[in-house]
Amino acid sequence: MSEQLIIALSKGRILNDTLPLLAAAGIEPVDDPERSRKLVLDTSRPEVKLVVLRATDVPTYVQYGAADLGVAGKDVLMEHGGADLYEPLDLGIARCRLMVAGFPEAQHRPGTLRVATKFVNITRRYFAEQGRQIETIKLYGSMELAPIAGLADLIVDLVDTGRTLEANGLVPLEHIADISSRMVVNRASMKLKHRPIKEFLARLQQSLAQD
Ligand code: ATP
Ligand code: PRP
């Protein structure tokens, strides 16, 4: 019997863009992942199973080897830290930018700035590297509200079209990183299941090149 591969996918926005890439690499879920209540999904290849997780849980599953491979945004990977993960492939999907944003000139306010974000690790690293002292406030969503409500001076959030910022009177102020989704692989799986993983990555790369 060939070795089993478990691939962790991020629910939500990334899932819609990931499924066609997997299909082009010959892997299609038997049940619709958006509708099924199953947590482990069979695919058109008996040795490949999918697990559909919250985006932020994908690196954790792959780090501990509970999944061999996973698809996650670079933002989520940077925040996680990337321990025990290989990142062999940029899938080029869910592109956006990680930015510091706020009211115009808010970054020049005197004193210690308060920065609201879901990405506290990235934010601390970014400001520390520049020797700027800040206080972070952890939020789980709707970051754009924080400056409006007076909770924070700045936010660190994802920006795509810029419409959410604009609709709330905010502007992008500083660029932290370009973001897209990546395929990550558990380090031990890469050694122990080298052949099936290499073959899968090669098929995926081929289908990306044809896009
Ligand atoms: P969770 O529900 O676990 O908090 P989430 O709501 O952040 O996750 P999504 O909104 O589906 O999940 O975003 C998943 C990923 O999609 C992000 O990690 C990022 O890489 C990318 N992404 C988020 N917002 C955008 C956007 N506006 N444009 C393009 N890509 C985005
Ligand atoms: C993301 C992000 C911004 C918005 C940016 O939120 O957190 O709020 O997209 O996109 P834009 O620049 O095109 O307006 P999302 O829509 O995923 O909602 P969320 O806050 O529930 O994650």
Side-chain angles (χ1 to χ4, degrees):
M1 200 183 91
S2 41
E3 279 170 302
Q4 180 164 289
L5 280 188
I6 298 181
I7 308 176
L9 304 182
S10 298
K11 261 185 211 166
R13 190 189 296 269
I14 296 183
L15 186 61
N16 297 331
D17 292 346
T18 308
L19 292 175
L21 292 179
L22 288 182
I27 294 166
E28 291 186 73
V30 172
D31 296 310
D32 178 353
E34 304 263 27
R35 289 165 185 243
S36 175
R37 304 294 298 168
K38 279 191 199 165
L39 298 174
V40 182
L41 296 171
D42 292 326
T43 72
S44 47
R45 296 173 68 108
E47 75 281 16
V48 180
K49 312 273 183 212
L50 303 178
V51 289
V52 183
L53 309 172
R54 280 195 70 164
T56 43
D57 289 337
V58 168
T60 309
Y61 268 70
V62 180
Q63 174 187 2
Y64 287 98
D68 300 295
L69 302 115
V71 175
K74 183 69 183 172
D75 50 322
V76 168
L77 296 170
M78 286 166 68
E79 183 65 13
H80 171 267
D84 292 325
L85 300 180
Y86 282 121
E87 195 188 300
L89 218 50
D90 183 347
L91 300 176
I93 56 174
R95 286 181 189 277
C96 52
R97 285 150 291 144
L98 189 62
M99 304 218 48
V100 179
F103 289 116
E105 304 298 323
Q107 78 274 39
H108 299 308
R109 283 182 192 160
T112 302
L113 296 176
R114 278 193 297 181
V115 186
T117 186
K118 201 151 69 163
F119 305 103
V120 287
N121 296 330
I122 299 174
T123 299
R124 287 197 186 116
R125 272 201 306 268
Y126 173 76
F127 284 95
E129 273 166 15
Q130 301 184 4
R132 294 158 77 186
Q133 208 179 359
I134 55 146
E135 180 190 335
T136 51
I137 299 178
K138 169 86 181 180
L139 291 179
Y140 294 87
S142 303
M143 263 72 78
E144 293 84 358
L145 183 59
I148 298 169
L151 178 64
D153 301 291
L154 299 171
I155 61 172
V156 167
D157 196 9
L158 297 167
V159 179
D160 178 21
T161 62
R163 277 195 220 114
T164 313
L165 288 180
E166 197 184 350
N168 291 289
L170 305 176
V171 291
L173 297 169
E174 298 171 31
H175 176 271
I176 300 179
D178 287 326
I179 302 297
S180 55
S181 296
R182 314 297 167 100
M183 181 62 74
V184 288
V185 186
N186 172 270
R187 277 182 189 274
S189 300
M190 192 68 147
K191 288 200 190 98
L192 298 171
K193 302 181 182 180
H194 189 73
R195 221 179 73 176
I197 289 178
K198 273 281 170 208
E199 278 171 12
F200 169 66
L201 292 175
R203 278 200 305 276
L204 202 55
Q205 199 151 27
Q206 209 170 21
S207 65
L208 285 174
Q210 282 163 3
D211 263 3

